[in-house]
Every structure is written in structure tokens, then in C-alpha cells.
Amino acid sequence: MKLKELICDLPVNRIIGETDVNVDYLSCQADKVRNNTMFFCINGTKVDGHIFAKKVMLEGVKVVVVERVLDLKGSVTQLVVSNSRIFMALCAKNFFKCACDKLKIIGVTGTNGKTSTTYILKSILEESGYTVGVIGTNGVWIGNKRYATSLTTPDPIELHEWFLKMSLSDVDYVVMEVSAHALTLGKIEGIRFDIGVFTNFGRDHLDFFKTISEYEKTKRNFFNKKFCKVAVINADDVVGQKIIKENRIPVVTYGLDSPADIFAIDVKVNNEGIGYTINLCDDVMRVKYKLKGKFNVYNTICASSAARILGINSEKIAQGIMRVKGIEGRAETYELKNGGRVVVDFAHTPEGFANILNYLRTTLAENGKMICVFGCGGDRDKFKRPLMSKEVSKYCDFAIITNDNPRYENPKKIIADILDGISIEHDVVEDRYGAILQAVNMTKESDTLVILGKGAENYQEMNGRYYPFNDVEVLKKYLKQ
């Protein structure tokens, strides 16, 4: 594609050089450029991408996007823009043929429940005969094919390439997770969602956002005409109530306790899962779901609300919910030969811990002990660490504190922060593999072992390296032996 065609409708402050040059690739990573690449100098929180401009020129880069004019010699074109991140998102959209405009896209944001909600909605839409794409924490799905990705919401270049692949694969609907980071970093600029969905709000990401109010504001700002045509909002959530009152776009509400357009009553729990009666704007039906817990009632009625807006009938909604047998890394349950059980879950916030542990304590772990293996991510909000261990102390009988993804932080410092909130008997085993094995050996008949924090993640991040690791695979290997 010619540069002049790529940027013809985009806001450029100044152009230094030729625009009649070919652009074959886009990149914001200096180690991933080649001939005819358009390189975006991103002014990041740790590294200023402008320092790589001269280096990438040697690799064949013909166009650099900058926020200030650089002293570059040679046949390179500089595009001076106000915000390189936003410009990158808009360029990526144009480069990949504006594929997002050809798709019907539902964006799901919130602190907890995003992944589960997207998978439930995927099932409902597929039950109705549609081809569905999913983008989120557990990877990318195009129909029945799954692909790995490293971020909840991929960076714009990768994101729009996925949109193009989905468009070429005749995908009808895309259901994607929209993270707070994606909103702040301009990843979704140029995308208008058919529906914006809000699950809930809790403490998270205060390593990135300066205050909890800034994090909250970021979530709320998704629900405006720029990004969403209509919103689905949790009426039982305090931040959800604020979004409803702001009334910047049409809103459909859902809930269990507050007045809402779509709500559930008569919730029952048994060995087969949960059942409840849902009122879909006065269309009443009984719903069954194989996974348990109040939080799963919210996830299912949230997905049902979005499906209703899309015109899916109540029978298909109920069938779609019922066909979900489980979601990888979300309350995955395994029975031990001695009568105990192991539950693996992605919960990684105080609210997430409270949700899963309360559910397990009041159902599976009524007659036995509950043991928890958990850690906290490094280089992330350190203030939530003792809050998470307080939730573990509230519901569990014993804890093994271990590594999660320490990243560049000293694991001993992370564990020290966790120990500030622990008030039950516990051990510290830094090696996560060893911690899981020790916990399984401790789990007796009627006991429940809960392994929290990583869910379906297949790596451990330490000092800039990714080591293969998956909680479920460790568990399965041990059980097989």
C-alpha cells in the first residue's frame, strides 16, 4: 500500500519526506521490522521509542511516525503526529482494509468475568447458527480454531490483522475483551462496538493507574457514542449505576438485586450446576448452567442481555448457556482418587478471590478443609496483595503461598506483602510446581484444594523470560504418575 493512500484520511501534523513510497508492514517494535516497514515511535512509560528511529532505518524502514521532529539523514519519511499510539491504531485499521467496520463487534469490559461472559455469548451465538470470533485472555478463536495471543486486548496492529482474518473467514460476530489498558493506550481507536458490555468493577491495575478513581473513569469512558452504539450494564454494581445515570448512550440493565431490564430470580444450586428464572424484558424462561456460583449467574444474564439486543430468541439463549460445559482456567474442577478435589481458577483480584472462595466454601467444601495455593503478580498493584490473602484467610483452612508471575520483582518481597494479610496456618513454597505437589499431597477425602491466579496461562514470567508452566498440566502430570 502507498503511504499517501494509507494516511489520506488521518490527522498528520507535518510530513517530512515523500509519501509516494510503499508500506508493506507496520511495527512499533524495533526488533520486528523489515524492508518497507512503517515504524511507530511510541513514547512509553519506560522507554521512548524515538531512540530506535536510527536503528530501524538500517533495517529498511522507510517511514517513521514521531511525536517530534528527529534529526534523521537518509531517505526516510517522518510523519509528525500528536499521539503515536492513537495514530498507530488508525493506521492499522486502514492497513487491514477497515475490516472492523465489516464485522459486528461486542466489547466486554470490567474487572472480573470478561472471559466467561465472552465464551457464554459465543455459545449462544453459535447455537443461533452464527460464526463467531473471540479475542481475549484465553487467546483468539475464529470459529472452532484457536490461536495464541499474549494480551487480553492485542495491540492495534495485531488486533486489526485478526479482524481482517475473521472477515475473510466469514465471521458474523466478534466478541472481545476490552481491558482498561487498551482503553488508556488507545488500542480501540477507530473501532465502534455494536454493544459495549460492563461486568463489574473492583480493585486492580493500580500499578498502572495512579488512583482507583482514574481506573474507574477509564472504564466509564468506554460507554459513549465514540466507542459504543448501546450498552449492557450491571445494575447491581456501584460503578455500573454511575454509567447508567450518565446516560451517554442507550442502556440495557441487568442484575439480581436492583431494578433492571433483565434479571434473574429463584436461583437454585445442585450437583448439576445452577438454575434460575430469567426475565428478558418480560420474556420469562428457566435457565440451567453447568458452572456454579452467584458470579456465574451474573455472567450468564450479562451474556443473555447482549444476545437479546442482537435479536436472539429466548430458547436459543437458554440452549446456548446450557451447552457451555466449562471454560478453561475458570473453576476447572478435578476429582482425586481419595475423594478430594482440586479447583483451578484465574482469580487474581480481591473480589475475584472472594467470589470463587465463597462459592467453594458454601458448596464443595462444606464438609472438609479448604486449602489454597496462590501468589501475586510482580510489578503490579502491591496494595492488593494483603487484601487477597485476607480473603484466603476468611474462607480457607490452610494456605501455601508461592510465586505467580514475579516478572522483574523480587519474589521474596511479593511474598512478604502477601504475608501481611494472612491469618491462617500457612507455608511458603516459592517454586509453584513444588507448592502444587505439596498441596495435592495434603488434600484428603472431602477436602478442596484451590489453585488461584493463573488459570489457563501456559507460562511463568520471571526476569523478562517466559518459562513454560500451566497449573492444570502440572496437576494432570502428578495425577497420572
Side-chain angles (χ1 to χ4, degrees):
M1 178 182 286
K2 292 290 185 182
L3 175 61
K4 60 185 177 183
E5 298 169 356
L6 179 60
I7 64 171
C8 65
D9 59 345
L10 301 184
V12 182
N13 296 339
R14 183 180 175 187
I15 300 175
I16 303 172
E18 297 295 324
T19 59
D20 191 28
V21 295
N22 289 326
V23 174
D24 296 332
Y25 308 98
L26 307 179
S27 180
C28 63
Q29 296 175 270
D31 59 344
K32 294 184 179 179
V33 297
R34 60 187 88 174
N35 196 39
N36 293 339
T37 294
M38 182 178 189
F39 181 74
F40 300 86
C41 298
I42 302 297
N43 192 6
T45 54
K46 295 182 179 180
V47 178
D48 184 352
H50 292 76
I51 66 174
F52 299 114
K54 291 182 179 179
K55 176 182 182 297
V56 298
M57 286 176 60
L58 300 176
E59 303 294 331
V61 167
K62 297 293 190 294
V63 182
V64 292
V65 176
V66 297
E67 293 180 1
R68 60 181 184 270
V69 177
L70 301 180
D71 181 17
L72 301 176
K73 294 180 173 63
S75 58
V76 63
T77 299
Q78 293 187 58
L79 303 181
V80 186
V81 301
S82 300
N83 187 307
S84 295
R85 288 186 184 277
I86 291 176
F87 193 81
M88 177 171 66
L90 297 175
C91 268
K93 178 181 177 179
N94 283 357
F95 187 80
F96 291 105
K97 306 182 186 303
C98 296
C100 62
D101 292 341
K102 304 167 189 174
L103 298 162
K104 296 174 183 175
I105 307 176
I106 300 96
V108 182
T109 195
T111 304
N112 297 301
K114 296 187 295 295
T115 300
S116 295
T117 300
T118 59
Y119 275 67
I120 296 164
L121 186 52
K122 174 180 185 286
S123 180
I124 293 171
L125 290 168
E126 288 176 339
E127 183 68 26
S128 303
Y130 296 108
T131 301
V132 183
V134 174
I135 301 172
T137 306
N138 282 5
V140 172
W141 288 86
I142 301 179
N144 293 323
K145 293 184 178 180
R146 181 180 176 180
Y147 306 87
T149 187
S150 59
L151 297 171
T152 296
T153 308
D155 284 331
I157 298 168
E158 180 186 352
L159 178 61
H160 285 278
E161 186 173 11
W162 284 122
F163 285 146
L164 179 58
K165 289 177 179 178
M166 289 178 179
S167 178
L168 295 174
S169 299
D170 296 322
V171 165
D172 299 300
Y173 287 99
V174 179
V175 189
M176 64 175 283
E177 298 180 48
V178 180
S179 68
H181 288 72
L183 293 166
T184 301
L185 299 176
K187 291 185 182 183
I188 61 168
E189 289 290 327
I191 305 170
R192 190 149 187 251
F193 295 80
D194 290 84
I195 303 175
V197 176
F198 176 76
T199 58
N200 50 58
F201 183 83
R203 183 188 181 98
D204 204 7
H205 303 308
L206 294 192
D207 56 295
F208 182 83
F209 297 96
K210 294 178 181 178
T211 63
I212 193 76
S213 60
E214 183 182 330
Y215 174 44
E216 175 190 319
K217 184 179 178 182
T218 299
K219 292 289 190 184
R220 287 161 56 188
N221 283 344
F222 178 52
F223 299 96
N224 61 50
K225 292 180 181 179
K226 178 181 178 181
F227 293 123
C228 303
K229 297 177 184 178
V230 63
V232 170
I233 307 295
N234 182 349
D236 292 342
D237 186 273
V238 174
V239 175
Q241 287 284 355
K242 292 179 182 179
I243 297 170
I244 294 166
K245 289 177 182 177
E246 287 167 351
N247 196 32
R248 292 184 286 184
I249 54 176
V251 169
V252 172
T253 60
Y254 70 93
L256 295 176
D257 303 320
S258 303
D261 301 311
I262 295 171
F263 57 90
I265 58 172
D266 191 26
V267 179
K268 304 290 185 185
V269 181
N270 56 38
N271 292 333
E272 296 179 354
I274 55 176
Y276 59 85
T277 299
I278 189 170
N279 186 313
L280 285 160
C281 303
D282 294 330
D283 187 358
V284 180
M285 63 176 177
R286 193 71 183 168
V287 171
K288 294 181 180 179
Y289 187 52
K290 296 183 187 299
L291 302 183
K292 302 174 185 177
K294 186 177 181 179
F295 57 95
N296 274 316
V297 179
Y298 278 106
N299 293 338
T300 52
I301 62 174
C302 177
S304 299
S305 302
R308 193 61 167 181
I309 292 173
L310 296 173
I312 308 299
N313 67 50
S314 56
E315 182 180 345
K316 294 295 184 184
I317 290 173
Q319 290 172 350
I321 292 172
M322 193 158 45
R323 71 190 283 239
V324 179
K325 294 181 172 59
I327 298 170
E328 190 178 7
R330 270 65 180 174
E332 280 193 71
T333 304
Y334 298 87
E335 300 295 329
L336 302 179
K337 289 183 179 179
N338 65 3
R341 68 191 62 81
V342 184
V343 179
V344 179
D345 193 85
F346 184 60
H348 59 283
T349 66
E351 292 81 9
F353 270 39
N355 283 338
I356 186 69
L357 294 175
N358 178 53
Y359 148 61
L360 293 173
R361 174 54 80 186
T362 56
T363 53
L364 298 182
E366 286 182 297
N367 301 317
K369 291 183 178 181
M370 193 148 79
I371 303 161
C372 186
V373 173
F374 76 104
C376 294
D379 299 326
R380 299 292 186 267
D381 177 13
K382 67 178 182 179
F383 298 105
K384 73 178 182 180
R385 294 168 186 171
L387 301 179
M388 292 160 70
S389 54
K390 283 180 181 178
E391 295 295 341
V392 172
S393 299
K394 181 178 178 180
Y395 294 104
C396 298
D397 301 287
F398 188 87
I400 299 180
I401 299 164
T402 188
N403 277 335
D404 190 291
N405 292 316
R407 300 183 176 90
Y408 289 97
E409 194 170 351
N410 186 334
K412 288 181 170 50
K413 178 63 174 66
I414 299 171
I415 289 170
D417 290 338
I418 295 171
L419 290 173
D420 283 344
I422 203 80
S423 60
I424 58 172
E425 189 178 354
H426 61 273
D427 276 348
V428 173
V429 182
E430 285 190 32
D431 173 48
R432 193 174 180 94
Y433 187 95
I436 292 172
L437 297 193
Q438 179 177 324
V440 174
N441 282 325
M442 293 177 59
T443 305
K444 308 301 181 186
E445 183 179 359
S446 299
D447 289 350
T448 300
L449 166 60
V450 196
I451 305 172
L452 297 180
K454 292 180 64 61
E457 284 184 353
N458 57 9
Y459 62 86
Q460 243 187 326
E461 185 181 352
M462 301 179 184
N463 294 317
R465 296 185 64 182
Y466 288 80
Y467 298 89
F469 192 94
N470 179 270
D471 287 345
V472 172
E473 290 305 314
V474 172
L475 178 63
K476 287 180 177 179
K477 181 179 179 181
Y478 177 80
L479 296 180
K480 185 177 181 180
Q481 291 174 345

